[in-house]
Amino acid sequence: IGFVFVPSNKRRALNYILERKHLRFTPLMQSDMVVYVGKNNPLYGRKSLKPAELKDLRFVQMADDFFSFHELMGETASFKAGKGPENVVETNSSHVVVQLLNNTDLCNLCSYWLKDRYKYYDFGMIPIEGYENMITFGFISTHDDNLSKLSKEFLHFVETVISQEQNQQ
């Protein structure tokens, strides 16, 4: 099994790939898309953002990440024809993302369910209006569902963590 976060605007592409490889995606939960900011960002303390506000922000994102600005927002009306932000720093280091959020005014576009990634830092988490439940978290498996005992145990563990998280909300 493999676990993935899939933006709703990429679900069709994933399904196409999985069908060709005789695999199946099983959703486990839906998650909101949010922006994380540090105290140096003027948005710190905001309760929500409108999608149109995103185009003027500066971001730090993981390279080759499904949570890149252009992957997630590129198909929305406000950002068609390449009108997304010019200022996106990409890195392959989560440490660099944390340091830039902590010491600059850069933002990070991410899923709400990844909030524990930043639990040791004083970052603001700002929901994006209209992007509730945009991210689906689930697992990929073969069509025959012939999972090993260890895979089943791990899947049960993940489902328990998700259930506990949802009960805390």
Side-chain angles (χ1 to χ4, degrees):
I1 60 175
F3 292 91
V4 294
F5 287 91
V6 183
S8 59
N9 62 349
K10 298 297 176 186
R11 186 75 182 267
R12 252 175 125 171
L14 176 68
N15 289 341
Y16 175 76
I17 293 167
L18 295 178
E19 186 177 313
R20 294 193 59 173
K21 298 194 179 283
H22 307 290
L23 298 171
R24 178 172 59 183
F25 176 70
T26 304
L28 296 174
M29 68 168 287
Q30 298 289 119
S31 182
D32 299 346
M33 196 163 63
V34 298
V35 170
Y36 287 95
V37 298
K39 285 190 170 188
N40 293 319
N41 191 299
L43 298 175
Y44 186 85
R46 283 275 300 266
K47 299 296 182 211
S48 68
L49 287 172
K50 296 186 183 316
E53 293 178 272
L54 297 173
K55 70 180 189 284
D56 298 321
L57 301 178
R58 299 174 347 126
F59 291 86
V60 56
Q61 297 294 134
M62 294 293 289
D64 297 323
D65 190 349
F66 252 43
F67 297 106
S68 74
F69 187 90
H70 293 288
E71 286 296 316
L72 289 169
M73 303 303 289
E75 296 176 17
T76 64
S78 301
F79 304 102
K80 285 187 179 174
K83 294 182 181 175
E86 298 285 324
N87 300 321
V88 178
V89 174
E90 289 189 343
T91 180
N92 64 353
S93 168
S94 58
H95 176 74
V96 169
V97 172
V98 167
Q99 291 306 311
L100 287 172
L101 287 175
N102 209 26
N103 296 298
T104 71
D105 67 345
L106 295 178
C107 306
N108 177 249
L109 184 67
C110 201
S111 165
Y112 166 74
W113 200 60
L114 295 177
K115 70 183 180 355
D116 283 345
R117 172 191 283 183
Y118 303 131
K119 69 181 176 183
Y120 299 109
Y121 303 94
D122 189 14
F123 296 152
M125 181 185 71
I126 310 168
I128 302 167
E129 296 172 12
Y131 286 81
E132 298 82 8
N133 294 317
M134 184 177 178
I135 309 297
T136 302
F137 174 71
F139 68 95
I140 296 173
S141 63
T142 58
H143 273 292
D144 60 11
D145 271 340
N146 193 11
L147 300 178
S148 70
K149 181 180 178 191
L150 185 58
S151 293
K152 288 178 185 176
E153 288 175 11
F154 186 67
L155 184 56
H156 177 72
F157 168 77
V158 170
E159 289 171 329
T160 300
V161 169
I162 290 170
S163 176
Q164 289 171 347
E165 168 87 15
Q166 290 174 337
N167 288 336
Q168 290 177 357
Q169 294 178 2

